[in-house]
Amino acid sequence: TTYSWNALLSLYAQQGQGHEALICLELMEIEGLLADNITYLSILKSCGCTGSIDKGKHIHDDIVRKGLLKNNSMLGNALVGMYAKCGRLESARFIFDGMNNRCVVSWTAMISSYAQQGQPREALKLFKQMQNRGLKPNEITCVSILSVCAVSAAYAEGMSVHSCVLECGFELDAVMGTALISFYGKCAALEDAEIVFLKLEKPSVVPWNAIIAANGEHGQGKESLNLLLEMLHGGVKPDDVTFINMISACSHAGLVDVGRDCYDAISDYGLTPTIEHFGCMIDLFGRSGQLVEAEALITRMPFEPNALIWRTFLSACRMHGDTRRGVHAAKKVVDLDP
């Protein structure tokens, strides 16, 4: 029955297994069963996850042909999300503007889409429009806008969002706490970031990573190290991001030996260095003028260095006036990213 297929489609969509969901839809259609609103919600989510824009457009056409979009904000929100995840923000905004019954979820879907696609100005503009219409944001809206404020260093706007969080009585959980810590960290308001962090009850590794990064980005490498030690003492296991943030913190503070120790400790926690870890180490060596060590690390990488790796090395060569290595790095950058 359609009900049974919908249950399976919903399960696949929630687990991020979009391709499996799309295969189920084909089998469902072969059986001659008609899709309903629930079917379309799951499939649109799956199309967004897999970037299946053509299939998504086909589903959109079906929805319009059947007249299901009228007064159905859930389908409208799903279409907005699908187009946004497929990188079609204009189409997402077209759907959003055409919705007659936009709710907080609708506004949040569009705001989050702008935030995720790197258009902070549009996200902030839409957020202000939402507030002017008297709609109160939900937790997801606030988290999305805080990420935008962090990227654009919009301190006043972020402070306003924090006030909204307090006024609405939203729970200061790991997600909201991390968003606030990251925002204050990007705006160099380390004391505010620390105040938020201290209010978290038994923070997980994600907020720890955020507060470590906040200090590291502003040259407080020793404080980042103290936070890491405190985190380990509290029984919280570091992850890949922890070491990326720590090595980066050491790079900004010139703590080469500490950064090297952090890199060596990655395997102690059952983790494998990624290209991001190598990039941070090359930056660490490069900033300190150890270009020979940085170049040697590039040659020892277990995978091909990408353009970002070579750009990092090129920047270090420029900083320290190493023309020979700089020319070589420049050629690599041009080859990989013309």
Side-chain angles (χ1 to χ4, degrees):
T1 64
T2 299
Y3 177 83
S4 301
W5 280 106
N6 282 346
L8 186 58
L9 285 167
S10 178
L11 181 62
Y12 278 132
Q14 291 172 6
Q15 296 296 322
Q17 300 184 35
H19 291 294
E20 289 78 0
L22 293 174
I23 292 172
C24 282
L25 178 64
E26 294 178 3
L27 295 174
M28 179 179 170
E29 292 172 340
I30 290 173
E31 288 190 9
L33 296 173
L34 296 177
D36 59 14
N37 288 358
I38 305 300
T39 314
Y40 289 134
L41 287 173
S42 296
I43 290 301
L44 286 172
K45 184 174 183 178
S46 299
C47 289
C49 291
T50 58
S52 305
I53 185 64
D54 291 336
K55 186 64 176 179
K57 286 182 178 178
H58 177 71
I59 297 299
H60 183 187
D61 291 340
D62 278 353
I63 291 172
V64 172
R65 180 169 49 82
K66 294 178 180 179
L68 299 176
L69 199 54
K70 296 179 180 179
N71 299 319
N72 191 324
S73 61
M74 291 183 68
L75 280 177
N77 298 338
L79 282 166
V80 169
M82 183 276 294
Y83 278 119
K85 288 182 179 177
C86 291
R88 306 295 178 89
L89 280 180
E90 290 184 3
S91 297
R93 185 59 187 264
F94 179 80
I95 298 295
F96 175 79
D97 289 339
M99 293 173 65
N100 296 322
N101 53 338
R102 289 178 290 190
C103 59
V104 174
V105 177
S106 309
W107 286 87
T108 300
M110 195 65 237
I111 289 169
S112 299
S113 299
Y114 279 128
Q116 293 166 5
Q117 294 295 324
Q119 296 197 25
R121 290 185 179 179
E122 290 298 325
L124 285 169
K125 182 179 177 181
L126 204 60
F127 180 62
K128 290 178 181 177
Q129 291 178 15
M130 174 184 166
Q131 290 180 307
N132 291 337
R133 297 197 178 202
L135 288 171
K136 288 188 176 182
N138 59 24
E139 290 96 329
I140 299 174
T141 321
C142 291
V143 169
S144 296
I145 286 297
L146 283 169
S147 70
V148 168
C149 293
V151 170
S152 52
Y155 184 73
E157 289 84 350
M159 284 285 290
S160 175
V161 176
H162 192 178
S163 296
C164 183
V165 169
L166 297 174
E167 290 172 6
C168 294
F170 294 146
E171 181 184 358
L172 189 65
D173 57 10
V175 176
M176 185 67 75
T178 300
L180 285 166
I181 292 165
S182 297
F183 156 66
Y184 282 122
K186 290 290 184 181
C187 293
L190 296 182
E191 289 185 6
D192 292 323
E194 185 176 354
I195 289 172
V196 173
F197 179 75
L198 292 175
K199 289 181 179 179
L200 293 173
E201 186 177 351
K202 295 181 179 180
S204 64
V205 67
V206 179
W208 276 107
N209 287 344
I211 193 66
I212 288 171
N215 280 275
E217 288 171 358
H218 298 284
Q220 304 298 316
K222 291 183 178 179
E223 181 59 29
S224 291
L225 178 59
N226 290 334
L227 286 165
L228 174 64
L229 295 175
E230 186 180 344
M231 171 183 138
L232 296 174
H233 183 72
V236 179
K237 183 179 178 182
D239 60 10
D240 288 340
V241 178
T242 311
F243 288 105
I244 290 173
N245 291 346
M246 269 309 307
I247 298 171
S248 178
C250 292
S251 179
H252 283 88
L255 303 174
V256 179
D257 291 337
V258 176
R260 198 195 305 266
D261 290 340
C262 288
Y263 175 79
D264 292 338
I266 293 175
S267 59
D268 295 340
Y269 292 91
L271 303 171
T272 302
T274 65
I275 197 165
E276 287 80 10
H277 294 115
F278 281 98
C280 290
M281 286 300 295
I282 291 163
D283 185 56
L284 173 74
F285 288 136
R287 284 174 184 263
S288 65
Q290 300 183 35
L291 299 180
V292 175
E293 288 82 354
E295 188 175 42
L297 185 59
I298 293 175
T299 62
R300 295 200 308 270
M301 287 172 56
F303 25 65
E304 285 295 319
N306 58 21
L308 179 58
I309 293 290
W310 285 113
R311 278 200 297 270
T312 302
F313 186 57
L314 174 60
S315 178
C317 293
R318 181 181 62 83
M319 183 187 303
H320 297 286
D322 193 324
T323 305
R324 182 180 64 81
R325 289 187 172 87
V327 168
H328 175 68
K331 289 179 180 178
K332 290 291 185 179
V333 172
V334 173
D335 290 341
L336 291 168
D337 189 8

